Amino acid sequence: MATFAQTSYDSANYAASRPTYPRLLYDVVLQFHKEGQANGGSDRWNRAVDLGCGTGLSFTVIGQESILNDDHEGFQTVIAVDPSSNMVQVAKESLPEHFQSRVELRRSTAENLSFVQDGTVDLVTAAQSAHWFDWNRVWPELQRILKPGGTFAFWGYSGLRLTRHPELTPLLTAYSQGTDPATSLGPHWEPGRRILDNHFLDIVAPALGWADLTRVFYTGTHYPALAEPPHESKDVIIRKRMTWGGGFAGYLSTYSALHRYHDAFPADRERVDGDIATRFRRTLMEAAGNPEETALVEVEWPLALVMVRKT
């Protein structure tokens, strides 16, 4: 996650432009957690830890929302962790006042949770961050801090799609995953991106201390091979309508690979026809037959969810 941790990265734009996660996703995670209570007693709603918390899109829901339509009001305390000082600052500034006393924000990595006591955590989450982890170091830390029967859930979305223009997917793929470093962002992603694009299939739990991973793919028809048992494939659940020149442009600007592209080609920012992201956006607009900056476009993101319990 080195790019997001740089002080030059625009964390406020990230917070404004990235999609949010629907309540359905949290219901699935928390139902999985609730079902695991039998393995470790009834007090399962005390402490949660959110790894790679970013600007707070995830942990504020876990801590505040009522859970599973019962009378529970969320976890009593949430420790939110991110290696970026910018991200932590934006998260702190966006916290609702009544929630601040229940959240502890920490600048740290997922591999170093030394400030969390052994066996004191009920739930650990990681939203759009697990693909950056050093898993050989993260699994032992999770094993240490989780209670027996505790839950670890992580999820992430891969490359965007235009809901009403599936024929433009090859253009999106060429821009994001192409091999020419001068015309595509593909060579400029950090290594973890491949893990995300493969929907975390590369990640497996250690043989000892963990139950089998449960995987749910909210990918619709984008990746039909993921529907193979014993896992589930469901409809896409993250969609957002935005204007080409507003939200869509803002989202494209949050790519960590774009940040690295500009490091490699600094003159690209100064081009009179716009930088690579602007040029690509205009190409999409023309191809979609909707070239007005204020026109609306519907975007969707295939998402993979992985859940596991500590035994």
Side-chain angles (χ1 to χ4, degrees), residues 86-103:
N86 287 351
M87 293 285 191
V88 170
Q89 183 60 36
V90 172
K92 183 178 298 185
E93 293 170 353
S94 63
L95 275 180
E97 185 175 350
H98 70 278
F99 187 45
Q100 293 176 3
S101 62
R102 294 167 60 186
V103 174

Side-chain angles (χ1 to χ4, degrees), residues 13-14 16-18 240-254 277-278 281 285 290-297 299 301:
N13 180 57
Y14 183 99
S17 302
R18 287 288 175 130
K240 188 174 182 179
R241 296 185 75 197
M242 57 187 77
T243 62
W244 286 110
F248 191 80
Y251 177 77
L252 291 182
S253 71
T254 67
T278 301
R281 178 170 56 84
M285 293 165 63
N290 201 0
E292 298 295 327
E293 294 282 334
T294 57
L296 289 170
V297 58
V299 181
W301 290 265

Side-chain angles (χ1 to χ4, degrees), residues 33-245:
H33 179 67
K34 185 176 183 179
E35 291 170 355
Q37 290 186 28
N39 295 326
S42 59
D43 183 16
R44 283 289 160 202
W45 309 100
N46 183 39
R47 174 177 287 178
V49 173
D50 189 40
L51 303 177
C53 69
T55 58
L57 291 175
S58 180
F59 72 80
T60 52
V61 178
I62 293 169
Q64 292 191 96
E65 295 290 328
S66 61
I67 293 175
L68 303 173
N69 298 316
D70 59 21
D71 294 331
H72 202 283
E73 296 182 352
F75 286 84
Q76 296 304 302
T77 60
V78 177
I79 302 175
V81 181
D82 199 277
S84 166
S85 58
N86 287 351
M87 293 285 191
V88 170
Q89 183 60 36
V90 172
K92 183 178 298 185
E93 293 170 353
S94 63
L95 275 180
E97 185 175 350
H98 70 278
F99 187 45
Q100 293 176 3
S101 62
R102 294 167 60 186
V103 174
E104 178 184 349
L105 281 159
R106 287 270 189 168
R107 183 188 177 191
S108 189
T109 65
E111 294 81 8
N112 177 19
L113 304 174
S114 58
F115 45 87
V116 182
Q117 294 179 328
D118 295 3
T120 60
V121 176
D122 302 298
L123 170 71
V124 177
T125 57
Q128 202 65 13
S129 60
H131 51 296
W132 305 120
F133 295 170
D134 179 346
W135 286 93
N136 289 329
R137 297 170 59 197
V138 166
W139 283 117
E141 278 290 78
L142 296 175
Q143 177 75 21
R144 180 182 65 80
I145 68 173
L146 276 169
K147 298 175 183 177
T151 301
F152 175 43
F154 57 98
W155 60 89
Y157 50 86
S158 54
L160 66 86
R161 303 288 186 264
L162 303 185
T163 305
R164 302 184 186 280
H165 296 282
E167 75 279 4
L168 300 185
T169 298
L171 285 177
L172 291 160
T173 301
Y175 174 69
S176 182
Q177 301 179 25
T179 58
D180 186 341
T183 61
S184 169
L185 300 185
H188 302 279
W189 291 108
E190 293 167 276
R193 181 70 195 192
R194 183 188 61 80
I195 296 174
L196 182 61
D197 287 337
N198 199 33
H199 305 92
F200 302 125
L201 291 174
D202 304 276
I203 297 174
V204 295
L208 298 177
W210 300 92
D212 291 336
L213 296 178
T214 295
R215 301 178 188 268
V216 184
F217 302 102
Y218 296 98
T219 56
T221 59
H222 293 301
Y223 306 100
L226 298 179
E228 297 176 2
H231 309 300
E232 297 181 81
S233 182
K234 299 178 179 291
D235 291 338
V236 172
I237 58 174
I238 302 183
R239 287 190 174 90
K240 188 174 182 179
R241 296 185 75 197
M242 57 187 77
T243 62
W244 286 110

